[in-house]
Amino acid sequence: MIKFDFKDRIVVVTGGTRGIGRGVTENFLKNGARVVATYASNDEAAQSFKVSLGELGENLDLRKFDVSVEEEVIAFYNYLEETYDKLDILVNNSGIRKDNVLALMPTDDWSRVMDINLKGTFLMSKLAVPQMMKNRYGRIVNMSSVGGALGLAGQANYAASKAGQVALSKSLSKEVGKKGITINNICPGFIETELIADLPAEQVKEYKKQVPLKRFGRIDEVAHAVLFLSSEESGYITGTTLEVSGGL
């Protein structure tokens, strides 16, 4: 049985204060890591999350910036290097949805989803690699989605961005493997978070019918998969995708 131990590990979780990212952050903290959780806008919610953690919150560092803006990403990594002088694990979890049928989708909605979900993964990973190379060790986990393969109606932008994360990972894994860095994807299915909270009740009912386990997943079930791919024990797994989807 794997006993997760992330003591002395520095972990960055983008979008790490809500939804799946919040669950990932909490689970890393519970297993000894120092976590830098990023968020884009809601200061009050981020601070409330930190307070709710009690003593665990002492090992949580909150940083606010937009992962799709290169200058802000560079400034974040400068802070990270000056403060911690290393990076062990990066979880690219920041993601948004702006659903619409393709023929009616505003170009801005296409661009914003691609910028956050895919460009953000590119920028964060690009700057993570040099820091990880210094210690010849690193784990990068991208929070993709089964939507990238299923291509649900009304989600052309989201599906394209999530499929792009998987493709990016396959290429990057071949570039950095010899440096002791692995890069993998988690593809959640329908997970009980605010990201799907706006789905109509009838649509939720239909989606649950499609899931062999007949329920939506829990955040902790995704977080545990992230911790596995971030652990030392997963060192021979790279360039691959783990679905947490209830069998979709």
Side-chain angles (χ1 to χ4, degrees):
M1 178 179 177
I2 295 177
K3 179 176 171 56
F4 294 126
D5 182 5
F6 293 99
K7 184 180 179 182
D8 299 325
R9 293 298 189 194
I10 303 299
V11 181
V12 170
V13 182
T14 66
T17 64
R18 63 183 180 87
I20 290 175
R22 176 178 177 144
V24 170
T25 295
E26 286 189 56
N27 275 273
F28 271 120
L29 290 169
K30 289 175 182 176
N31 287 277
R34 174 76 179 182
V35 180
V36 185
T38 83
Y39 67 102
S41 58
N42 196 328
D43 295 309
E44 184 178 349
Q47 291 298 328
S48 177
F49 169 49
K50 183 178 175 72
V51 170
S52 74
L53 291 167
E55 290 185 6
L56 284 178
E58 295 175 7
N59 284 322
L60 174 62
D61 187 353
L62 297 173
R63 306 300 298 177
K64 179 182 177 182
F65 68 98
D66 186 331
V67 296
S68 71
V69 178
E70 187 167 14
E71 294 78 8
E72 295 185 22
V73 175
I74 291 172
F76 169 75
Y77 273 96
N78 287 339
Y79 165 81
L80 198 69
E81 188 167 19
E82 292 168 4
T83 306
Y84 301 104
D85 196 34
K86 72 166 185 169
L87 171 60
D88 299 301
I89 299 161
L90 166 65
V91 181
N92 284 309
N93 173 74
S94 290
I96 61 170
R97 280 179 36 234
K98 289 184 176 292
D99 296 354
N100 210 330
V101 294
L102 186 68
L104 300 177
M105 183 177 291
T107 302
D108 285 348
D109 285 359
W110 169 274
S111 298
R112 190 58 182 156
V113 169
M114 294 296 286
D115 280 350
I116 296 294
N117 298 3
L118 186 55
K119 183 182 176 184
T121 296
F122 159 69
L123 290 173
M124 291 297 297
S125 300
K126 177 182 177 180
L127 274 77
V129 166
Q131 293 208 19
M132 291 177 172
M133 285 175 62
K134 291 189 300 183
N135 295 318
R136 300 187 68 84
Y137 179 89
R139 300 281 187 266
I140 299 176
V141 180
N142 292 332
M143 196 61 66
S144 185
S145 169
V146 294
L150 296 177
L152 298 175
Q155 292 190 345
N157 49 1
Y158 185 77
S161 70
K162 293 302 178 179
Q165 284 182 306
V166 173
L168 181 155
S169 300
K170 288 183 178 296
S171 292
L172 182 56
S173 68
K174 294 174 174 62
E175 298 170 2
V176 300
K178 63 185 177 182
K179 301 296 185 181
I181 303 169
T182 67
I183 175 164
N184 294 289
N185 305 279
I186 298 289
C187 281
F190 298 110
I191 309 298
E192 295 281 6
T193 71
E194 64 265 33
L195 193 63
I196 63 170
D198 60 343
L199 293 176
E202 199 59 37
Q203 192 171 7
V204 168
K205 186 177 179 181
E206 286 303 311
Y207 283 157
K208 284 185 178 179
K209 286 182 181 178
Q210 298 173 30
V211 180
L213 293 187
K214 302 304 177 188
R215 66 175 177 86
F216 286 172
R218 299 188 304 273
I219 289 174
D220 274 358
E221 292 174 316
V222 180
H224 294 157
V226 173
L227 264 63
F228 169 66
L229 289 178
S230 301
S231 67
E232 292 186 32
E233 289 82 355
S234 68
Y236 202 58
I237 302 172
T238 192
T240 193
T241 297
L242 174 60
E243 289 192 6
V244 185
S245 66
L248 275 175

